Amino acid sequence: MSREEVFERVTDIFRDVFDDDELVISDSTNSEDIEDWDSLEHIQLIVGMEKEFKVKFDIKTVNSLENVGQMVDLILSMI
């Protein structure tokens, strides 16, 4: 799976969690960029990505991520 394909699927997860079909994210997007991104949405994002990509994240690793690009790269390293 290419990075672009992973990014598209991650974008779909973000749009689903935030209930916004027009949401645009980039590699540099982080929790400060999306007004409704709080701890509950963060958990929903992580669970959604684990289900979508059939991976299990280490909470310590997830907490060290700074933006969407790093999450995409982490997913790529696991699939």
Side-chain angles (χ1 to χ4, degrees):
M1 182 177 302
S2 72
R3 190 174 196 286
E4 292 77 24
E5 290 170 322
V6 171
F7 195 89
E8 285 177 22
R9 290 167 73 176
V10 167
T11 299
D12 289 341
I13 294 167
F14 268 80
R15 289 177 176 169
D16 184 50
V17 168
F18 292 104
D19 196 28
D20 181 354
D21 292 337
E22 303 299 317
L23 182 64
V24 176
I25 61 171
S26 68
D27 278 347
S28 63
T29 300
N30 62 43
S31 60
E32 295 176 10
D33 298 323
I34 301 175
E35 184 178 335
D36 294 333
W37 191 341
D38 60 19
S39 58
L40 178 60
E41 276 74 21
H42 190 76
I43 292 168
Q44 290 177 331
L45 286 169
I46 298 304
V47 169
M49 290 182 206
E50 286 180 334
K51 286 181 180 179
E52 177 71 21
F53 296 102
K54 296 176 179 45
V55 296
K56 185 70 175 159
F57 297 120
D58 174 78
I59 194 68
K60 191 174 183 180
T61 303
V62 170
N63 287 337
S64 71
L65 300 175
E66 296 179 10
N67 55 44
V68 171
Q70 289 181 358
M71 174 59 79
V72 170
D73 291 338
L74 175 62
I75 292 168
L76 278 169
S77 74
M78 298 175 76
I79 57 174

